[in-house]
Amino acid sequence: MYTPTVNAPAGGRVGTFLSGFGSGVGLLFRGLGIYARNPRLVLLGIIPGLLSGALYLAAFGTLIYFVSDLAELITPFADDWAGWARDVVRLIAALAFLGLGGLLGVLTFTAITLFIGDPFYERISERVEARYGGVPDEIEAPWWRSLRRSLVDSARLLVRSVLIGIPLFVAGFIPIVGQFVVPVVAALVAGWFLAVELVGVPFYRRGLRLPDRRRVLRANRPLALGFGVAVFLCFLIPLGAVLLMPAAVAGAALLARRTLGQSIAADSSNTAESNTAESNTAESNTAESTGAGTTGAQPTVEG
């Protein structure tokens, strides 16, 4: 079903990784192009994102409002310190809270928005795959069964992301490392989880579950990371998650096809339409030439 990556020589591994990473970034932009050029997809995708966006903006605004109180709550040992030392420690604590909130917000936003907009995003994914030939042997499952599986898998991913996010939160208190290394690691971790989450719909369509997603994406890790990190960085832009979630769903359909060894090289529907048009034109020309020949020819009667 999919082609595992082949171990490259040590000297070429970095280049191979960067090439795959760049291709993954490109899949997001291809999904954005498909989405932006189709007004119907825009209408399908905007409603769930707006609802989730309003919910998460309110939650993050609440966190910003209370972040200083939270910083004081977890740093009681600094109460008797000099003013500047106390302020520095609590500033680091506040930044760590905001960083953790942003990381968990991006990860849970994807799961919640996919839950709210499941029928909308499934239609977007279907239409994207239809452009490239559709899904062979597609499995039709009742909506309630798909919803149940999606909730279970999303919960499992959420638990994993929280378990990884907590150590990153603690590491955020380490000077320099917390401000420079942790954000890079967090982007890679969040990108991976986003990629695994977003390909859920096209994988379900093929009867594949969460373990299958992880296995297939691990075999194409640079590609999955490039796509996921690009989505993560776009989601950090104000309103980026609201506006770009449908494009991310479209790009995830391309990622699923690519990792499962199915073509995304040509627009099958357009090619089919073009071939049909050429065929109709050829038939029309043949009919016209035949008609012209028949009109111009004089029947020969044998006496």
Side-chain angles (χ1 to χ4, degrees), residues 23-300:
S23 297
V25 175
L27 290 179
L28 174 61
F29 286 100
R30 286 185 64 177
L32 178 60
I34 294 171
Y35 170 68
R37 290 193 298 267
N38 193 321
R40 290 184 179 180
L41 296 186
V42 173
L43 290 175
L44 281 172
I46 196 169
I47 297 174
L50 288 175
L51 294 175
S52 295
L55 176 65
Y56 275 80
L57 282 176
F60 198 72
T62 302
L63 175 62
I64 292 174
Y65 184 80
F66 289 106
V67 71
S68 60
D69 296 330
L70 292 172
E72 291 180 10
L73 182 65
I74 67 168
T75 58
F77 54 85
D79 288 342
D80 298 328
W81 290 11
W84 67 269
R86 182 177 62 249
D87 292 341
V88 168
V89 168
R90 288 178 175 168
L91 175 61
I92 293 174
L95 291 175
F97 268 114
L98 292 176
L100 178 64
L103 175 63
L104 295 181
V106 168
L107 294 174
T108 58
F109 177 88
T110 305
I112 296 300
T113 306
L114 286 173
F115 171 70
I116 293 174
D118 184 74
F120 300 94
Y121 294 137
E122 187 169 347
R123 183 61 62 85
I124 290 174
S125 183
E126 285 179 0
R127 291 189 178 182
V128 171
E129 293 215 65
R131 294 170 60 94
Y132 299 94
V135 178
D137 302 322
E138 180 176 354
I139 295 177
E140 296 288 344
W143 68 269
W144 53 267
R145 184 179 299 172
S146 298
L147 180 61
R148 185 184 62 190
R149 290 186 306 183
S150 177
L151 284 174
V152 171
D153 288 348
S154 295
R156 291 169 63 184
L157 279 172
L158 181 59
V159 170
R160 287 172 180 266
S161 64
V162 170
L163 291 177
I164 294 176
I166 291 174
L168 291 175
F169 168 70
V170 174
F173 288 94
I174 303 174
I176 300 177
V177 173
Q179 287 70 55
F180 295 97
V181 177
V182 171
V184 175
V185 176
L188 292 172
V189 170
W192 172 255
F193 281 112
L194 285 173
V196 174
E197 180 72 41
L198 286 167
V199 297
V201 171
F203 271 67
Y204 286 143
R205 197 175 294 124
R206 294 163 171 82
L208 301 174
R209 294 292 303 275
L210 179 59
D212 302 301
R213 282 187 261 165
R214 291 202 302 263
R215 185 181 68 252
V216 172
L217 293 186
R218 273 199 303 266
N220 299 270
R221 194 181 298 274
L223 187 72
L225 282 175
F227 174 78
V229 170
V231 172
F232 173 73
L233 294 178
C234 288
F235 280 10
L236 292 180
I237 301 170
L239 298 180
V242 175
L243 299 175
L244 291 176
M245 175 62 84
V249 171
L254 300 178
L255 175 63
R257 293 185 67 86
R258 176 80 175 268
T259 56
L260 291 169
Q262 296 171 348
S263 175
I264 59 172
D267 190 330
S268 300
S269 62
N270 290 344
T271 303
E273 291 174 2
S274 176
N275 291 339
T276 302
E278 291 176 1
S279 176
N280 291 340
T281 302
E283 290 176 1
S284 176
N285 292 339
T286 301
E288 289 176 2
S289 62
T290 303
T294 304
T295 303
Q298 296 297 326
T300 301

